[in-house]
């Protein structure tokens, strides 16, 4: 079998005499193939596993020939004759439609100027039946020309074609006679029958309706697709005989089932009905009717003046009407383009195509994306698709929730206790107010979104920094299961600050008046809550265990004010921008230095903290303890002995630029926090005392060099700290334009993905009703990846090597690839470790 197919494929003869794969495939699907056996009978093939074992050898007394004989004698089943007639045959329906409608418009135009009666106009217009039959014979002859003798057709198809041609030709003869007698004398005797012209016209009409039956049947099947499926797939012998005679080519159809609903068909018919109606009206006025008067004048000259040539008149009429008919045929495509634009616009509006056109549109619609994703991409079999009351928060056991339910994790506590000590319910109310209760749809959507972003990074469309900005964040032990991408929350804190600084009326606003616009905006309140939680984590990690109690004390006070709705009574809310600006500067310094910092091999500090003296006052309930007042601090410092010079010289000076810079920014942050406190309020005064005490602790972050450097080293070793730092920097420092992907391809894919979620498409079916998602693409000798020599060889088409061309054309992608590989030297891309990745890039 292989040798026969190979010999035909390698043959240098023309396609007329060469059988291709499709011809052999047709043979294997024919009934004739069953008359052969699957063996060659060649002595050289006795070693074949299948043939030698007797599986395919002929049975005793069996006289079937081997399959190779059938393949050698297999006819060529399809042959395409190369001619311009092929194009006319392919567009036969369009040509026929234009000829018929042009004729009808011409009859209507002449009847108007020549003042024909409606009866005479109808008789002239009935000549369209003659046109239909004549053109059908032409198309039938073209089918015979294209099929004979190169295509092997079954006997039924041949008989059907011959029968249709003969029948139509006989009908055409009688149509011609009846139509001639219709416009003959009023009284005449033809074929031994004496009758008037009306009688012959009705005979013409009845005969014409017979040859128009296939057209009526096709129109019915187009209007109701279910009839098409019923007819073409019917097993009835009479129906199949009817199809073989009237539609012999229908035996070649493969997709015989039309799965279009009547609703969709109605819209389709409406589109074409309005288009055709407009085209006919326009063509009648500007292309047909304008030619009637010149035509009448030309024929009038021929009829009324002697020595006028009929050939000359006919040539002049042809030269006048032919350009009009060509324009008539062409302008259909113009109106189709216009109608297509209108239809596309209406469909786009109805199905929400193109609602998401930019990154700004993605941000504005991001909050609705999970709902649409779960309904259109997840099967109803997914239990949490419709959403439950489960929130974004981690689902844990009751025992675990006792110590960390919806609470900030204290990085300085080994037991993982909350910032509120043993009473996490105080923070419960705050989180529920500040955070929206988000259902699990967000978690599922975030997983897919992160997969998309990771794929962009794997294809080097985006950099590592852009990837971190675009992905949802997950931090183990934090209060939320996921955190919105920086891409979504960048610049939102700035908008919240602008709302807080807006002018108010003469009355003193309360918490509800100030914070209501923020709480009503889902993204804004989420961003504010994330700044609070992540900012507290950064500060606690930075200040370390020495300052832990003071930091927790201050945070508890702020949370208490939020819970009681008295923040405006203790702090100057309109001056919060200075605190956020100081925090942004601190975060920027840490972001620039932590990534490049190399931690010391050993810790510099002893880890022993010197506790400041406290007044003998019992701690307050709920984990609060009283802070040392400013007076007690001064008294304590007065009583404390001054350090000796010998002790001071024992401390080794540690040069650490990042530490000193971080201290300056942290002091500025604490001073700005003190600046927004209302000094006349006792609780605010206590917070200010705590802040002052933190700045003055000699064994704390601000004065103990070894302790501060060790704290920065610990942060440099912590991957989760770096992730939180990147997230917080995007929240407080980045503009929305800075966190968007620079790659046009990444923007296009993201826009397409999010836009598809908002399209009017059906919901995801049940898993049992889904088709397989696996796709297998086989390949044999195609070049999938190029080797180093092929990539670095200069090509004549490009003028440079393929590698240099790609590096120049995709410069940003190449830089992202080097970043992903961790390479600084491009020469190392061809090393053994990276050569495969380079070839794949």
């Amino acid at each position: 079998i292989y040798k026969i197919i190979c010999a035909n494929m390698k043959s240098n003869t023309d396609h007329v005499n060469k059988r291709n794969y499709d011809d052999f495939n047709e043979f294997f699907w024919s009934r004739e193939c069953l008359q052969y056996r699957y063996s060659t009978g060649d002595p050289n093939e006795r070693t074949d596993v299948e043939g030698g074992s007797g599986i395919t050898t002929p049975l005793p007394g069996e006289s079937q020939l081997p399959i190779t004989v059938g393949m050698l004698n297999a006819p060529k089943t399809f042959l395409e004759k190369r001619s311009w007639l092929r194009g006319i045959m392919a567009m036969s329906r369009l040509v026929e439609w234009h000829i018929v409608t042009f004729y009808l418009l011409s009859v209507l135009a002449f009847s108007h100027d020549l003042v024909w009666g409606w009866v005479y106009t109808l008789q002239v217009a009935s000549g369209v039946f003659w046109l239909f039959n004549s053109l059908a014979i032409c198309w039938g002859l073209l089918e015979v020309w294209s099929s004979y003798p190169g295509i092997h057709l079954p006997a039924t198809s041949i008989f059907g074609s011959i029968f249709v041609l003969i029948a139509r030709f006989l009908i055409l003869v009688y149509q011609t006679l009846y139509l001639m007698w219709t416009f003959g004398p009023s009284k005449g005797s033809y074929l031994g029958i004496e009758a008037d012209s009306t009688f012959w016209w009705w005979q013409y009409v009845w005969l014409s309706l017979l040859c128009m039956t296939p057209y009526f049947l096709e129109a019915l099947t187009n209007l109701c697709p279910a009839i098409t499926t019923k007819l073409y797939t019917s097993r009835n012998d009479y129906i199949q005989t009817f199809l073989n005679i009237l539609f012999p080519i229908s035996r070649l159809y493969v997709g015989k089932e039309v799965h279009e609903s009547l609703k969709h068909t109605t819209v389709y018919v409406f589109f074409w009905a309005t288009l055709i109606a407009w085209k006919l009206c326009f063509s009648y006025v500007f292309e047909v009717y304008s030619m009637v008067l010149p035509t009448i004048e030309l024929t009038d000259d021929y009829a009324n003046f002697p020595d006028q040539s009929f050939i000359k008149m006919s040539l002049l009429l042809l030269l006048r009407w032919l350009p009009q008919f060509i324009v008539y045929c062409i302008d259909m495509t113009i109106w189709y383009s216009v109608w297509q634009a209108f239809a596309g616009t209406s469909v786009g509006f109805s199905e929400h195509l193109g609602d998401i056109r930019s990154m700004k549109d993605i941000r504005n619609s991001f909050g609705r994306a999970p709902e649409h994703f779960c309904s259109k991409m997840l099967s109803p079999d997914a239990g949490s698709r419709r959403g439950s009351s489960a929130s974004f928060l981690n689902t844990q056991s009751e025992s675990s929730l006792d110590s960390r339910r919806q609470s900030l994790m204290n990085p300085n506590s080994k037991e993982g206790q909350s910032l509120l000590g043993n009473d996490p319910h105080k923070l419960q109310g705050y989180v529920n107010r500040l955070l929206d209760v988000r259902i699990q749809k967000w978690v599922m959507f975030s997983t897919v979104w992160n997969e998309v972003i990771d794929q962009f990074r794997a294809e080097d469309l985006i950099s590592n920094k852009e990837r971190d900005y675009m992905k949802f964040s997950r931090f183990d032990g934090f209060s939320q299961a996921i955190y919105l991408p920086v891409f979504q929350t960048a610049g939102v804190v700035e908008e919240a600050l602008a709302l807080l600084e807006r002018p108010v009326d003469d009355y003193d606003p309360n918490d509800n008046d100030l914070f209501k616009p923020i709480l009503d905006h889902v993204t804004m309140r989420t961003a504010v809550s994330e700044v609070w939680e992540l900012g507290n984590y950064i500060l606690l990690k930075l200040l370390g265990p020495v300052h832990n109690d003071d930091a927790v004390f201050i945070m508890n006070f702020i949370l208490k004010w939020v819970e009681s709705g008295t923040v405006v009574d203790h702090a100057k809310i309109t001056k919060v921008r200075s605190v956020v600006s100081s925090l942004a500067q601190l975060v920027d310094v840490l972001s620039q230095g932590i990534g490049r910092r190399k931690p010391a091999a050993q810790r510099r500090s002893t880890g022993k903290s010197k506790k400041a003296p406290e007044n003998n006052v019992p701690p307050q309930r709920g984990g609060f303890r009283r802070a040392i007042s400013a007076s007690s601090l001064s008294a304590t410092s007065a009583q404390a002995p001054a350090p000796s010079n010998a002790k001071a010289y024992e401390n080794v000076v540690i040069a650490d630029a990042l530490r000193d810079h971080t201290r300056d920014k942290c002091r500025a942050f604490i001073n700005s926090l003190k600046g927004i406190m209302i000094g006349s309020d006792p609780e605010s005064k206590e917070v200010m005392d705590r802040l002052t005490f933190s700045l003055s602790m000699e064994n704390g972050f601000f004065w103990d060099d070894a302790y501060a450097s060790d704290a920065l080293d610990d942060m440099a070793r912590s991957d989760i700290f770096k992730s939180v730092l990147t997230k917080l920097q995007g929240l407080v420092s980045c503009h929305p334009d800075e966190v968007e992907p620079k790659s046009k391809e990444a923007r296009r894919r993201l826009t397409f993905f999010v836009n598809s979620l908002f399209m009017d498409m059906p919901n995801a079916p049940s898993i049992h009703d889904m088709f397989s998602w696996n796709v297998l693409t086989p390949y044999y000798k195609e070049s999938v990846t190029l080797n180093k020599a092929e990539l670095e060889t200069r090509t004549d088409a490009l003028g440079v090597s393929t590698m240099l061309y790609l590096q120049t054309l995709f410069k940003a992608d190449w830089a992202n690839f080097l970043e992903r590989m961790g390479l600084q030297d491009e020469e190392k891309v061809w090393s053994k470790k990276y050569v495969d990745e380079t070839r794949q890039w």
Side-chain angles (χ1 to χ4, degrees):
I1 293 176
Y2 173 79
K3 290 180 180 179
I4 294 174
I5 297 178
C6 185
N8 279 270
M9 297 304 296
K10 292 182 178 179
S11 176
N12 294 325
T13 58
D14 192 18
H15 72 289
V16 178
N17 303 317
K18 183 172 65 174
R19 287 166 297 180
N20 55 25
Y21 172 81
D22 294 327
D23 297 319
F24 289 116
N25 191 42
E26 288 283 344
F27 167 73
F28 276 104
W29 281 95
S30 65
R31 291 188 177 93
E32 289 76 9
C33 181
L34 299 178
Q35 301 175 4
Y36 302 92
R37 56 181 168 84
Y38 180 55
S39 63
T40 63
D42 188 352
N44 298 326
E45 299 293 333
R46 291 178 181 175
T47 57
D48 181 57
V49 176
E50 295 178 344
S53 61
I55 298 176
T56 59
T57 54
L59 297 174
E62 189 177 15
S63 60
Q64 284 185 327
L65 297 174
I67 188 63
T68 51
V69 176
M71 294 181 62
L72 289 173
N73 299 327
K76 187 171 182 63
T77 56
F78 182 76
L79 174 65
E80 182 178 4
K81 292 185 178 180
R82 298 168 181 175
S83 171
W84 288 104
L85 296 177
R86 267 288 177 184
I88 298 177
M89 180 181 174
M91 297 185 295
S92 59
R93 295 195 177 194
L94 290 175
V95 174
E96 183 175 353
W97 185 87
H98 282 90
I99 292 175
V100 169
T101 54
F102 192 79
Y103 173 79
L104 292 175
L105 292 179
S106 301
V107 171
L108 184 62
F110 277 103
S111 68
H112 180 271
D113 276 18
L114 296 178
V115 196
W116 291 345
W118 69 271
V119 176
Y120 185 78
T121 302
L122 191 61
Q123 290 178 344
V124 177
S126 65
V128 72
F129 297 136
W130 187 91
L131 282 177
F132 271 118
N133 199 15
S134 302
L135 292 173
I137 294 176
C138 293
W139 309 142
L141 293 175
L142 281 178
E143 286 185 2
V144 173
W145 165 82
S146 63
S147 303
Y148 182 81
I151 299 179
H152 176 70
L153 296 176
T156 53
S157 298
I158 297 175
F159 172 77
S161 299
I162 296 176
F163 175 81
V164 169
L165 286 175
I166 294 176
R168 284 192 175 277
F169 181 76
L170 291 176
I171 293 175
L172 180 65
V173 172
Y174 279 95
Q175 278 183 313
T176 305
L177 293 176
Y178 290 156
L179 199 60
M180 289 173 55
W181 296 340
T182 299
F183 295 101
S186 300
K187 290 290 184 177
S189 178
Y190 305 102
L191 300 178
I193 302 175
E194 185 175 350
D196 58 2
S197 59
T198 305
F199 171 80
W200 297 112
W201 183 73
W202 279 109
Q203 300 302 314
Y204 166 79
V205 170
W206 297 126
L207 186 62
S208 299
L209 291 178
L210 178 62
C211 68
M212 292 298 295
T213 302
Y215 291 95
F216 295 141
L217 183 61
E218 283 188 297
L220 181 62
T221 56
N222 286 327
L223 292 175
C224 186
I227 298 179
T228 304
T229 303
K230 188 70 175 177
L231 286 176
Y232 283 151
T233 60
S234 175
R235 299 278 184 178
N236 187 278
D237 294 337
Y238 295 101
I239 295 179
Q240 289 299 320
T241 303
F242 176 77
L243 292 175
N244 291 340
I245 294 175
L246 293 182
F247 303 99
I249 305 300
S250 66
R251 293 181 58 87
L252 302 179
Y253 294 167
V254 178
K256 297 184 178 182
E257 296 185 9
V258 183
H259 302 283
E260 282 295 332
S261 64
L262 186 61
K263 178 182 178 181
H264 291 168
T265 306
T266 304
V267 176
Y268 180 80
V269 171
F270 175 78
F271 172 86
W272 280 105
T274 54
L275 170 59
I276 291 174
W278 169 257
K279 186 262 186 305
L280 294 179
C281 292
F282 181 87
S283 298
Y284 173 79
V285 175
F286 295 99
E287 296 170 7
V288 178
Y289 186 76
S290 60
M291 295 300 301
V292 172
L293 185 59
T295 302
I296 294 176
E297 291 177 349
L298 284 175
T299 54
D300 184 70
D301 291 343
Y302 170 76
N304 296 321
F305 292 96
D307 302 330
Q308 295 294 322
S309 172
F310 177 78
I311 298 178
K312 179 181 178 181
M313 181 201 69
S314 302
L315 183 61
L316 289 175
L317 291 177
L318 180 64
L319 292 176
R320 282 184 174 270
W321 280 94
L322 184 59
Q324 298 296 103
F325 179 73
I326 294 176
V327 174
Y328 180 81
C329 294
I330 293 175
D331 67 353
M332 185 67 171
T333 58
I334 300 175
W335 297 122
Y336 175 76
S337 301
V338 175
W339 247 249
Q340 192 179 37
F342 283 119
T345 302
S346 62
V347 171
F349 278 116
S350 62
E351 297 187 358
H352 304 285
L353 303 180
D355 282 359
I356 309 299
R357 299 182 296 273
S358 63
M359 304 302 291
K360 182 179 179 181
D361 294 335
I362 295 179
R363 280 194 291 268
N364 294 335
S365 305
F366 202 76
R368 299 181 291 120
E371 179 72 27
H372 289 269
F373 169 79
C374 292
S375 62
K376 297 175 181 177
M377 301 300 294
L378 294 184
S379 168
D381 303 334
S384 55
R385 166 194 160 183
R386 304 187 183 280
S388 62
S389 60
S391 68
F392 248 160
L393 308 176
N394 289 322
T395 56
Q396 301 170 3
S397 62
E398 290 296 328
S399 60
S400 176
L401 286 176
D402 288 340
S403 61
R404 18 194 272 182
R405 180 187 302 157
Q406 299 186 13
S407 61
L408 291 171
M409 294 307 298
N410 190 340
N412 301 319
S413 174
K414 295 182 180 180
E415 293 79 12
Q417 65 181 18
S418 118
L419 291 179
L420 293 179
N422 297 322
D423 189 7
H425 299 285
K426 290 181 178 286
L427 186 58
Q428 174 82 29
Y430 164 72
V431 173
N432 286 340
R433 280 189 60 186
L434 200 57
L435 294 179
D436 189 25
V437 179
R438 305 171 185 178
I439 53 181
Q440 290 180 353
K441 295 179 181 180
W442 275 95
V443 179
M444 292 183 284
F445 174 71
S446 67
T447 303
V448 176
W449 177 271
N450 286 355
E451 286 289 338
V452 173
I453 302 303
D454 287 338
Q455 182 63 30
F456 288 173
R457 186 63 191 96
E459 297 180 18
D460 299 316
L461 295 177
I462 57 177
S463 63
N464 291 339
K465 190 174 184 180
E466 291 174 331
R467 176 199 59 194
D468 296 338
Y469 284 156
M470 295 298 298
K471 291 182 63 174
F472 281 87
S473 302
R474 299 173 184 264
F475 308 120
D476 293 337
F478 280 61
S479 66
Q480 298 182 15
I482 58 173
Y483 292 79
L484 290 177
V486 175
F487 155 78
Q488 179 67 14
T489 55
V492 177
V493 175
E494 180 68 24
E495 297 176 7
L497 293 176
L499 290 176
L500 294 177
E501 294 174 347
R502 69 189 188 281
V504 295
D505 298 332
D506 296 335
Y507 70 93
D508 294 331
N510 53 28
D511 282 16
N512 185 51
D513 296 331
L514 283 176
F515 296 120
K516 188 176 186 303
I518 298 176
L519 294 175
D520 290 342
H521 195 286
V522 177
T523 304
M524 193 174 297
R525 64 181 172 184
T526 303
V528 171
S529 67
E530 290 180 356
V531 170
W532 165 259
E533 180 176 5
L534 303 181
N536 286 338
Y537 175 83
I538 294 293
L539 292 174
L540 289 172
K541 189 75 174 177
L542 179 65
L543 297 177
V546 172
H547 300 277
N548 180 75
D549 293 342
D550 295 312
V552 171
F553 176 87
I554 295 171
M555 294 172 187
N556 286 338
F557 254 129
I558 297 176
L559 290 177
K560 174 187 172 184
W561 298 340
V562 172
E563 281 296 310
S564 59
T566 59
V567 177
V568 295
D569 298 332
H570 301 86
K572 305 170 186 176
I573 300 299
T574 56
K575 296 183 179 181
V576 176
R577 180 180 294 275
S578 61
V579 179
V580 177
S581 299
S582 301
L583 177 63
Q585 295 175 11
L586 174 62
V587 171
D588 289 340
V589 170
L590 291 174
S591 299
Q592 295 173 6
I594 289 296
R596 298 192 299 264
R597 186 179 182 85
K598 295 181 180 180
Q602 296 180 352
R603 298 186 65 84
R604 304 174 181 86
S605 61
T606 60
K608 297 179 180 180
S609 60
K610 302 175 182 179
K611 293 185 177 180
E614 299 182 6
N615 290 342
N616 296 324
V617 180
Q620 297 182 3
R621 297 179 60 186
F624 295 154
R625 67 176 179 84
R626 182 177 179 181
I628 302 175
S629 63
S631 59
S632 62
L633 285 174
S634 61
T636 302
S637 59
Q639 296 174 1
S644 62
N645 292 336
K647 184 71 174 177
Y649 282 116
E650 289 179 2
N651 295 329
V652 180
V653 177
I654 304 174
D656 192 339
L658 176 61
R659 178 201 61 205
D660 297 338
H661 202 182
T662 303
R663 280 174 170 175
D664 294 339
K665 297 301 179 182
C666 197
R667 287 191 185 98
F669 170 74
I670 292 178
N671 289 329
S672 63
L673 190 59
K674 291 170 58 179
I676 67 170
M677 295 296 168
I678 299 177
S680 59
D681 178 69
E683 293 184 353
S684 300
K685 184 67 166 58
E686 197 163 1
V687 170
M688 295 172 66
D689 291 344
R690 287 281 182 170
L691 293 173
T692 303
F693 177 65
S694 298
L695 290 174
S696 62
M697 294 179 66
E698 67 175 13
N699 61 336
F701 180 81
F702 298 97
W703 297 103
D704 191 336
D705 293 347
Y707 176 84
S709 297
D710 287 342
L712 293 175
D713 289 345
D714 293 339
M715 290 185 288
R717 297 187 187 97
S718 175
D719 292 334
I720 186 173
F721 178 86
K722 295 177 183 178
S723 300
V724 173
L725 190 63
T726 301
K727 171 67 177 174
L728 185 60
Q729 185 188 28
L731 281 167
V732 298
S733 301
C734 293
H735 189 269
D737 294 338
E738 299 174 359
V739 298
E740 294 179 358
K742 304 300 185 294
S743 171
K744 293 183 179 179
E745 178 63 14
R747 290 168 175 259
R748 184 193 67 81
R749 291 192 194 179
L750 275 182
T751 305
F752 180 85
F753 169 63
V754 179
N755 183 75
S756 65
L757 299 179
F758 295 94
M759 289 171 54
D760 185 15
M761 59 182 181
N763 292 339
S766 173
I767 295 178
H768 299 287
D769 300 330
M770 289 183 179
F771 293 104
S772 175
W773 288 354
N774 296 329
V775 178
L776 180 64
T777 305
Y779 67 93
Y780 181 50
K781 288 187 177 180
E782 294 86 354
S783 296
V784 179
T785 55
L786 304 178
N787 55 37
K788 179 181 178 182
E790 292 172 333
L791 288 171
E792 293 190 334
T793 302
R794 176 178 176 179
T795 60
D796 296 336
L798 300 176
V800 293
S801 66
T802 304
M803 191 67 182
L804 180 59
Y805 176 78
L806 293 176
Q807 289 174 339
T808 306
L809 188 62
F810 303 99
K811 188 175 182 180
D813 294 28
W814 177 249
N816 294 336
F817 170 75
L818 295 177
E819 182 186 28
R820 179 164 62 90
M821 294 293 102
L823 293 174
Q824 300 294 333
D825 186 6
E826 292 190 16
E827 297 298 329
K828 294 183 179 179
V829 296
W830 295 116
S831 63
K832 185 177 181 180
K833 182 179 180 181
Y834 303 109
V835 62
D836 290 338
E837 290 287 344
T838 304
R839 293 175 61 196
Q840 291 178 12
W841 182 89

